[in-house]
Amino acid sequence: MRRRARELAFKVLFEHLQGDVPLEEAWRHALEGEELDEEGLAFARRLVDGFARRAAEVDRILAETVEGWDFGQMSKTDLAVLRLATYEMLYEDTPFAPLIEVAVKIAGKYGGEDSGKFVNGVLARLKRRIDAGELTAAPKKD
């Protein structure tokens, strides 16, 4: 359920940011044909809204974490996946391992040949920064 919810959130964020579509309109588009239960929809909405509220901070932290790339050089699909995963790693109490695994799968499904490896590398670097105390994250369940 959470994987599908994250995928829905990715689709909303991608259309909103890359298509310059208002968030509510992107949400409505993404819901067409979607069969997530109420809990899944609520989780996806929480991710989208949470990122929207903290976009500047998430982007700053992500830009500091990515080595050798700027946002203009990155695949737009990879960037959308990374933005959502960064938000979730910092502000939700999701354990890192399953979150990163799902982000890599979404990147592989929607991105280029090396998207999964790229996303995995960036999120592993972000996890190391959090583990080292360089960044504060929500308490984890794991």
Side-chain angles (χ1 to χ4, degrees):
M1 183 278 302
R2 286 212 163 194
R3 178 183 177 177
R4 287 186 48 218
R6 287 183 182 103
E7 194 168 335
L8 174 64
F10 159 77
K11 290 175 183 178
V12 172
L13 188 63
F14 184 83
E15 182 176 2
H16 171 63
L17 295 173
Q18 305 315 316
D20 200 26
V21 173
L23 195 57
E24 288 306 314
E25 187 177 333
W27 181 255
R28 283 192 307 276
H29 290 165
L31 286 179
E32 293 172 11
E34 183 56 58
E35 296 179 11
L36 266 177
D37 63 16
E38 204 171 302
E39 184 182 343
L41 291 173
F43 179 65
R45 188 66 202 221
R46 190 169 80 225
L47 293 179
V48 169
D49 290 346
F51 170 78
R53 277 192 313 276
R54 299 185 180 267
E57 186 174 6
V58 167
D59 279 356
R60 178 187 58 76
I61 291 168
L62 187 55
E64 293 169 355
T65 303
V66 176
E67 295 176 356
W69 295 81
D70 64 41
F71 290 174
Q73 296 172 302
M74 276 186 238
S75 154
K76 301 308 178 202
T77 53
D78 294 356
L79 182 56
V81 170
L82 286 168
R83 283 171 158 162
L84 278 174
T86 299
Y87 165 77
E88 192 172 353
M89 287 176 77
L90 293 171
Y91 303 107
E92 297 286 332
D93 66 357
T94 309
F96 291 147
L99 187 164
I100 292 171
E101 180 182 334
V102 170
V104 167
K105 286 181 181 178
I106 292 171
K109 180 176 180 178
Y110 292 97
E113 187 177 322
D114 294 325
S115 289
K117 291 179 199 172
F118 178 72
V119 166
N120 187 60
V122 173
L123 296 179
R125 200 170 304 121
L126 178 62
K127 181 185 179 308
R128 285 193 298 275
R129 292 183 70 200
I130 292 168
D131 290 346
E134 192 178 325
L135 300 168
T136 304
K140 301 297 172 214
K141 293 177 184 174
D142 54 3

